[in-house]
Amino acid sequence: MSEIVLNAERRTVAGKKAKQVRGTGKVPGVYYAHGEENLTIQIPQLSLDTLIYTTETHIIDLRFQDGTSKRCILRDVQFDPVSDQPIHFDLQGLREDEALTIEAPVTLVGGTAAGVREGGILQHFIHKLKLSCLPKDIPGKIEVDVSGLG
């Protein structure tokens, strides 16, 4: 599991005024964690793209301008239905002693399955698996070896 560093700014505008934030090339979001106060934040869209358009799960080291940092994961992203640009995101804080439920991507490895070489079809139905684990045990992806499938 890789860790990505994101530099964030605390956001003072909220609600419908968050549209002003998007006009500056940043995406508004919220950070929340169990037992902590929610923080409204904003990050440049280019920094967020590295998290959104990937198949792996990442732990985020969220750093603020005042020097504080928090560990979290990307929980949700909302997209504009017309332009398909991100308009809001949610980050969930991690606690080392608390299990969380996430979705991990499933990837097929091992090349072409033996059954496919003989004329069969390999259908990949499950692209994500929901699992519950501690933050230190979060897998980047789940690999399934298909080389021996007949």
Side-chain angles (χ1 to χ4, degrees):
M1 158 97 29
S2 63
E3 189 167 314
I4 292 180
V5 176
L6 276 183
N7 295 315
E9 301 170 14
R10 293 212 164 105
R11 183 167 48 103
T12 55
V13 295
K16 299 221 181 231
K17 293 184 181 181
K19 191 178 218 180
Q20 297 169 351
V21 173
R22 289 185 209 102
T24 63
K26 297 180 180 175
V27 182
V30 65
Y31 166 86
Y32 56 88
H34 185 253
E36 293 183 30
E37 186 177 332
N38 294 351
L39 300 173
T40 54
I41 59 175
Q42 61 190 18
I43 352 180
Q45 182 175 342
L46 291 175
S47 298
L48 190 61
D49 286 350
T50 59
L51 288 172
I52 296 174
Y53 303 112
T54 183
T55 57
E56 293 193 21
T57 308
H58 297 282
I59 293 181
I60 302 164
D61 184 11
L62 189 65
R63 295 188 181 165
F64 296 100
Q65 292 175 332
D66 60 1
T68 60
S69 67
K70 299 186 180 286
R71 289 172 44 97
C72 53
I73 60 167
L74 181 67
R75 180 51 77 182
D76 188 35
V77 180
Q78 297 167 6
F79 294 94
D80 182 89
V82 176
S83 67
D84 203 32
Q85 296 294 317
I87 57 174
H88 191 271
F89 64 93
D90 293 347
L91 298 175
Q92 181 181 0
L94 300 176
R95 299 177 77 159
E96 297 301 323
D97 60 341
E98 190 173 293
L100 70 150
T101 302
I102 62 162
E103 288 185 346
V106 176
T107 58
L108 304 179
V109 296
T112 307
V116 173
R117 286 191 299 267
E118 296 170 4
I121 297 173
L122 176 64
Q123 295 179 335
H124 185 186
F125 286 116
I126 299 174
H127 296 278
K128 291 185 177 182
L129 277 179
K130 191 176 277 192
L131 54 104
S132 183
C133 62
L134 292 173
K136 65 178 180 164
D137 299 326
I138 295 175
K141 59 186 172 185
I142 298 171
E143 295 181 343
V144 178
D145 185 15
V146 296
S147 61
L149 293 178

